[in-house]
C-alpha cells in the first residue's frame, strides 16, 4: 500500500478508530442555524462574551507613570487591602517594576500585613527590599527609616531571626 493511498484512507474516516466519543459529547445538544436563540441553554448562549486573552489597548494607563504617581497608587492599593491574597498580589505587582518602592509604599504594605494578621509576609517585604536595592547602604537606609514602624508592629528581620543563615 503506497503512502498516498494510506493517507487517503486515514483522511476518509470521520474519527480515529482508537477513540470513542465521550459521554458528554453524545449527550450534547446539536445546534443548527435554524435553532431559535431562546431554546439555546444559557451556558451556550453566553459563551461568546468571554475571552481567554486579555485585551490590550494601545494607550496603557500606567505606561508613562511617574514615581510619585506609582507611590500614590500603591499606597492607595495597600490601604484598601482586605485579605492576604490582595496583599500578596499588590506586593508582587509593586516589586515587579524596575524600581524600589518608596518607604511610604513599604509603610502602607506593612500596615496592611498587620491588618490582615500576616507576619510572614511582613518579614518577606524586607527580603524583597533587600533583593531590589543596589547595595547594602541603601538597604540600611530603608531599615533605619522603617525601624520605628518595625518595632511598633513587632516585625523582625530574617537576618535577626536566623543570624547564621545567608
Amino acid at each position: 500500500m503506497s503512502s498516498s493511498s494510506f493517507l487517503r484512507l486515514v483522511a476518509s474516516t470521520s474519527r480515529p478508530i482508537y477513540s470513542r466519543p465521550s459521554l458528554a459529547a453524545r449527550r450534547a445538544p446539536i445546534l443548527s442555524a435554524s435553532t431559535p436563540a431562546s431554546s439555546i441553554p444559557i451556558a451556550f448562549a453566553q459563551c461568546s462574551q468571554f475571552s481567554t486573552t486579555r485585551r490590550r489597548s494601545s494607550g496603557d494607563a500606567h505606561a508613562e507613570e511617574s514615581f510619585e504617581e506609582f507611590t500614590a497608587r500603591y499606597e492607595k492599593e495597600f490601604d484598601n487591602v482586605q485579605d492576604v491574597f490582595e496583599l500578596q498580589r499588590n506586593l508582587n505587582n509593586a516589586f515587579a517594576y524596575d524600581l524600589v518602592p518608596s518607604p511610604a509604599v513599604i509603610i502602607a504594605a506593612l500596615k496592611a500585613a498587620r491588618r490582615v494578621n500576616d507576619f510572614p509576609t511582613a518579614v518577606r517585604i524586607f527580603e524583597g527590599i533587600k533583593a531590589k536595592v543596589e547595595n547594602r547602604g541603601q538597604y540600611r537606609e530603608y531599615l533605619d527609616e522603617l525601624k520605628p514602624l518595625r518595632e511598633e508592629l513587632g516585625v523582625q528581620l530574617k537576618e535577626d531571626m536566623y543570624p547564621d543563615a545567608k
Side-chain angles (χ1 to χ4, degrees), residues 49-104:
Q49 296 175 0
F50 297 104
S51 174
T52 57
T53 58
R54 183 177 163 221
R55 289 186 184 170
R56 293 193 171 247
S57 62
S58 59
D60 189 11
H62 306 296
E64 296 296 324
E65 185 176 45
S66 70
F67 185 72
E68 290 76 20
E69 292 169 337
F70 171 86
T71 300
R73 180 166 60 99
Y74 274 98
E75 280 184 79
K76 187 177 128 200
E77 290 284 336
F78 285 118
D79 287 342
N80 295 330
V81 164
Q82 297 298 321
D83 61 5
V84 176
F85 173 77
E86 289 181 39
L87 172 66
Q88 292 176 348
R89 185 191 64 201
N90 288 335
L91 282 169
N92 189 30
N93 291 340
F95 279 96
Y97 286 88
D98 191 24
L99 53 86
V100 183
S102 71

Side-chain angles (χ1 to χ4, degrees), residues 94-101 125-135 138-139 142:
F95 279 96
Y97 286 88
D98 191 24
L99 53 86
V100 183
I125 290 170
F126 287 99
E127 290 180 54
I129 295 169
K130 188 175 185 179
K132 289 292 280 188
V133 295
E134 294 178 2
N135 55 46
Q138 290 176 343
Y139 180 59
Y142 269 91

Side-chain angles (χ1 to χ4, degrees), residues 135-154:
N135 55 46
R136 291 196 72 53
Q138 290 176 343
Y139 180 59
R140 183 59 41 203
E141 289 176 19
Y142 269 91
L143 293 181
D144 292 342
E145 187 164 345
L146 299 171
K147 186 174 183 170
L149 183 65
R150 271 191 324 116
E151 291 174 353
E152 176 188 336
L153 298 177

